Amino acid sequence: MSKLFYFRLACDNIRKNKSIYLPYLLAASMLAALYYILSSVAVMTAQSGAKGSGVMVELLQISAGIAAFLAVIILFYINSFVIKQRKKELGLYCILGMERRHLSVMMVWETAVSLVITLAAGILAGCLLSQLMFLLLMGIARLSVRLTFQIPLGSVADTCCLFSIGFGLVLFYDIIVICRTNPITLLRGSRQGEREPKTRRLLALTGVLAMAGGYGLALTCRTSAEAITAFFPAAILVIIGTYGLFTAGSIVMLKRMKASRRFYYKPENFIAVSGMMYRMKQNAAGLAGICVLSTAVLLIISACTSLVAGEEGTLREIYVREGEIAGTAGDGDVNTVRERAEAWALSCGAELVHELYYYDTSFVAVRTEAGWTMDTGTAGEVTAVECITAEDYSRITGETLALNPGEAAVWYSGALDGRELRIDGMSWQVREAAQAPSFLIPDSITDNMLLILPSRADLELVSEAFQRSRPELVSHVMFHYWYDLEGEEEETGTCFGTMPQALEGSGLSISSIRDIRASRRDFYQLYGTLFFVGISTALLFILVTVMIIYYKQITEGYDDRERFRIMEKVGMDRREVRQTVRRQVRLVFLLPLVTAFLHTAAAFPAVCKMLTVFGLTDTRLFAICTAGAALVFAVFYLAVYRMTAWVYPGWRNQDSR
């Protein structure tokens, strides 16, 4: 026997099964290209020398690691469809005299050929697209860099190593499956499961309870901390519930329809219910997978898009003016800061306008059944508290607020009990509630409180109380001085960048000097990278979704060939058969999309609260982005369904008669 016999046989098998192998190789090549792009863009970003690129590189490296893990999982998942369709062919080889070791050698060659094609196509596409993706990332992050064409050899080597390991693991799994399976079973492998599905009420009930639990966790979150804590358990419960309802709940519902004689014993209902019962038995797990992946795509795209679209709004909520100087409060501190800042602005050719200042102190309190305490070791609801004076509040908001000693105005994200507020021996009568400007709300994932007190002396008392409660921390009353600059772009930019020099030798304890322009650069870099990573992850999930739909079309079509003949033998005409089956197939493939929309709607409140950690509080913007993502994905999903319908053997079988 020629040494190249198995190689030629492997190539011939791939060619004859091109309807199965070409999408598999295309998907694997796209995975390789995507991983190479993430890895190479991380290298190019590190070499660009752009200011603040360190965080971008770290995020890209993390995303490349996640993509590597998902790529191996996806290879296994798509391979399961391929090996299922080839079981009959492999069983026939065994019947014709091939031993399992011969099959193993043949599969080694098939895997080697597939690996070479995948790496060649993937790395080539990655090399061509990585430069474009690098420019896209720099454009989103608003960084100006020079583009020099390069192919990072480290990324090429990492891609080759990763996919060699991935294909090796897939090959090992396939050989184990083939060697442990009886040839007769292989011949019947793609035809297994033709008996009527059993009613698994316990699994269906588990699915309902898991789904209800996941929805309940997502819908009842009050704070960002609760949303972050509950999101992962909620996602796990929803995934379990989705699989339970698709695999068992659908069968229970269809059997209840079948039990209704008045409904079931009508020609159109009889065929529809019976056909759907077998379809859901064979395809439930794959459809549940499509649903989960579609939900992930919708949430990732909508969240990342809203973060990028809401960057300016987030900055404007954080910055009441363009620049801020903050430090420990002392005698004449604000006047000294104002004089030096104004003089420096004039020296730079700019003018300091729209000044605003206030004093504050902040601490963390825990709400217990006995009241509020600054001891964070106590079990209870944690709240971040910001304290300012009534005079400063009136200056900031323009609302007149006069408080007597022992009184306070409170804005609280939760609900207060009664008209008195007690914290570690201090007490205030809550005379009236207050609205909190966004820049005064503590940047926290917990509950938030704005406590407005009569005087600066009250702020000192609160700071001293917190220092006594938490001696390991330093607590001060702080001053905040906000300002805008008027002048030419170059002069104002120079003034903001050199403002720390104006305050050298002032004798003030300055804790931070910041401006919206520098923060805007940091925001664009962080959120731009998150958007880039999010879209890359969404592409991975979309790729898997497309492959599942494609192979489901093939599986459905081959399974329906015999059903076509049976329906025609019992008296149905060809047109009626095609219409009936098409309605069933459309319903099967639309069910995951509709369920994904329900999952996304249930997750919406929790994701909104999680996005506040990134400073995005515009719920309307997130709702618009979510609706837009849902619309675009629905169009894409239906287009993929229509494009893959041509591979449906049942349609071709019918049309060719």
Side-chain angles (χ1 to χ4, degrees):
M1 183 180 295
S2 172
K3 293 182 179 180
L4 296 178
F5 170 76
Y6 291 108
F7 170 73
R8 290 196 297 268
L9 183 61
C11 294
D12 195 46
N13 287 339
I14 294 175
R15 181 180 57 81
K16 289 181 178 178
N17 291 285
K18 60 182 179 181
S19 63
I20 298 173
Y21 263 102
L22 285 183
Y24 174 62
L25 295 175
L26 177 62
S29 300
M30 292 175 66
L31 290 174
L34 187 57
Y35 174 77
Y36 172 83
I37 288 172
L38 289 172
S39 179
S40 61
V41 168
V43 173
M44 287 186 278
T45 303
Q47 295 177 351
S48 68
K51 188 176 181 179
S53 61
V55 175
M56 299 173 66
V57 173
E58 290 181 5
L59 287 173
L60 289 169
Q61 289 174 341
I62 292 172
S63 68
I66 295 173
F69 174 76
L70 291 176
V72 175
I73 300 298
I74 293 170
L75 281 177
F76 266 95
Y77 196 71
I78 300 177
N79 175 73
S80 65
F81 291 99
V82 176
I83 199 67
K84 180 180 179 182
Q85 292 302 317
R86 294 199 60 204
K87 278 184 176 180
K88 185 175 181 179
E89 174 192 347
L90 296 174
L92 184 59
Y93 277 129
C94 291
I95 297 298
L96 293 176
M98 247 192 186
E99 298 179 10
R100 288 185 174 88
R101 61 188 179 89
H102 298 141
L103 283 179
S104 300
V105 174
M106 181 188 71
M107 294 175 70
V108 168
W109 277 109
E110 290 176 355
T111 303
V113 172
S114 300
L115 176 61
V116 170
I117 294 174
T118 296
L119 291 176
I123 293 177
L124 178 61
C127 290
L128 295 175
L129 294 175
S130 59
Q131 315 298 317
L132 177 62
M133 293 297 103
F134 175 68
L135 285 179
L136 177 63
L137 174 60
M138 294 298 107
I140 296 174
R142 303 197 180 185
L143 295 175
S144 298
V145 295
R146 290 186 59 188
L147 177 64
T148 57
F149 184 83
Q150 56 179 310
I151 301 176
L153 297 181
S155 299
V156 174
D158 290 344
T159 305
C160 293
C161 181
L162 170 66
F163 281 85
S164 296
I165 294 173
F167 273 91
L169 293 174
V170 169
L171 171 64
F172 179 75
Y173 173 78
D174 289 345
I175 291 176
I176 293 296
V177 170
I178 296 302
C179 291
R180 297 182 61 181
T181 307
N182 186 285
I184 302 301
T185 305
L186 285 175
L187 276 173
R188 299 182 303 184
S190 61
R191 299 286 300 166
Q192 291 179 355
E194 289 300 321
R195 295 181 181 179
E196 181 175 313
K198 296 180 180 179
T199 305
R200 295 180 287 179
R201 290 187 175 86
L202 180 60
L203 180 58
L205 179 61
T206 301
V208 171
L209 295 177
M211 188 76 73
Y215 278 18
L217 285 175
L219 294 172
T220 56
C221 296
R222 295 189 308 105
T223 65
S224 301
E226 290 181 4
I228 293 172
T229 303
F231 189 81
F232 184 73
I236 295 298
L237 287 174
V238 168
I239 291 173
I240 294 173
T242 302
Y243 276 87
L245 290 178
F246 270 81
T247 56
S250 58
I251 302 301
V252 171
M253 183 181 68
L254 290 168
K255 286 207 170 186
R256 288 184 65 86
M257 293 180 181
K258 184 177 179 180
S260 174
R261 298 192 173 209
R262 181 176 299 178
F263 174 84
Y264 184 65
Y265 288 105
K266 294 180 180 179
E268 63 276 10
N269 296 338
F270 174 85
I271 296 169
V273 172
S274 299
M276 282 297 297
M277 196 176 299
Y278 286 99
R279 291 182 193 281
M280 291 308 297
K281 177 186 177 182
Q282 295 173 349
N283 300 304
L287 296 175
I290 294 175
C291 175
V292 171
L293 291 169
S294 300
T295 305
V297 169
L298 290 172
L299 292 177
I300 291 172
I301 292 178
S302 58
C304 293
T305 304
S306 59
L307 282 176
V308 172
E311 285 175 329
E312 282 299 323
T314 301
L315 283 170
R316 291 299 175 183
E317 288 189 358
I318 296 174
Y319 283 85
V320 63
R321 300 288 189 269
E322 291 182 333
E324 182 205 20
I325 303 170
T328 304
D331 294 335
D333 41 30
V334 170
N335 290 330
T336 303
V337 167
R338 178 182 179 183
E339 291 171 1
R340 287 180 174 268
E342 187 173 10
W344 187 260
L346 290 174
S347 69
C348 294
E351 182 181 0
L352 193 147
V353 296
H354 304 146
E355 301 166 293
L356 177 66
Y357 70 91
Y358 62 92
Y359 294 88
D360 78 341
T361 189
S362 59
F363 61 92
V364 175
V366 179
R367 186 177 188 178
T368 66
E369 294 181 358
W372 296 81
T373 178
M374 295 180 179
D375 183 6
T376 54
T378 307
E381 298 177 4
V382 179
T383 300
V385 184
E386 180 94 356
C387 304
I388 65 172
T389 66
E391 180 185 357
D392 289 338
Y393 178 81
S394 299
R395 185 187 309 111
I396 292 169
T397 63
E399 299 178 10
T400 302
L401 180 62
L403 296 175
N404 297 320
E407 293 182 337
V410 177
W411 177 91
Y412 180 44
S413 58
L416 291 174
D417 298 327
R419 304 298 298 175
E420 185 178 21
L421 178 64
R422 291 178 175 271
I423 304 178
D424 282 354
M426 299 177 291
S427 65
W428 301 273
Q429 293 295 319
V430 180
R431 195 168 64 82
E432 60 181 274
Q435 293 296 321
S438 58
F439 67 94
L440 289 176
I441 298 175
D443 184 13
S444 171
I445 62 175
T446 62
D447 281 330
N448 300 313
M449 178 186 292
L450 177 62
L451 180 59
I452 306 169
L453 301 176
S455 67
R456 186 169 158 186
D458 293 295
L459 299 184
E460 296 286 354
L461 291 175
V462 170
S463 178
E464 292 170 2
F466 184 67
Q467 187 72 71
R468 289 193 301 270
S469 176
R470 301 291 302 277
E472 72 277 10
L473 301 177
V474 177
S475 177
H476 296 292
V477 175
M478 307 291 293
F479 73 85
H480 299 265
Y481 178 74
W482 293 89
Y483 61 94
D484 287 338
L485 288 177
E486 284 187 353
E488 298 296 330
E489 183 73 18
E490 184 176 352
E491 282 78 8
T492 56
T494 301
C495 185
F496 278 126
T498 57
M499 185 59 72
Q501 300 177 25
L503 301 173
E504 289 181 357
S506 64
L508 297 173
S509 179
I510 304 296
S511 60
S512 70
I513 300 175
R514 58 178 184 161
D515 63 86
I516 194 172
R517 301 187 184 192
S519 294
R520 181 178 286 115
R521 181 193 64 227
D522 296 337
F523 265 55
Y524 286 147
Q525 289 181 359
L526 175 61
Y527 291 170
T529 308
L530 288 175
F531 178 77
F532 184 83
V533 170
I535 295 301
S536 300
T537 305
L539 285 175
L540 282 173
F541 293 152
I542 289 174
L543 177 62
V544 183
T545 303
V546 172
M547 288 298 99
I548 295 176
I549 293 175
Y550 177 85
Y551 286 115
K552 284 298 177 189
Q553 292 276 28
I554 293 178
T555 304
E556 284 282 295
Y558 281 115
D559 289 343
D560 280 340
R561 280 180 171 175
E562 188 61 30
R563 295 187 188 127
F564 286 146
R565 298 188 182 97
I566 294 174
M567 289 180 185
E568 290 182 355
K569 288 178 181 178
V570 297
M572 294 182 65
D573 60 45
R574 197 167 299 169
R575 179 185 176 188
E576 195 174 11
V577 170
R578 292 169 63 183
Q579 289 178 346
T580 301
V581 175
R582 277 179 172 167
R583 280 197 299 267
Q584 294 176 15
V585 173
R586 286 168 184 163
L587 180 59
V588 164
F589 282 96
L590 285 177
L591 189 59
L593 181 64
V594 175
T595 310
F597 287 161
L598 293 177
H599 290 349
T600 303
F604 183 85
V607 177
C608 279
K609 292 179 175 62
M610 292 171 65
L611 289 176
T612 60
V613 176
F614 296 93
L616 182 68
T617 58
D618 191 344
T619 303
R620 181 173 176 272
L621 174 63
F622 181 51
I624 292 173
C625 291
T626 303
L631 178 61
V632 172
F633 184 76
V635 173
F636 171 81
Y637 185 95
L638 295 175
V640 169
Y641 168 76
R642 293 293 299 174
M643 290 172 62
T644 57
W646 70 271
V647 303
Y648 189 84
W651 300 157
R652 298 202 306 266
N653 184 59
Q654 281 295 108
D655 294 336
S656 63
R657 292 189 184 187

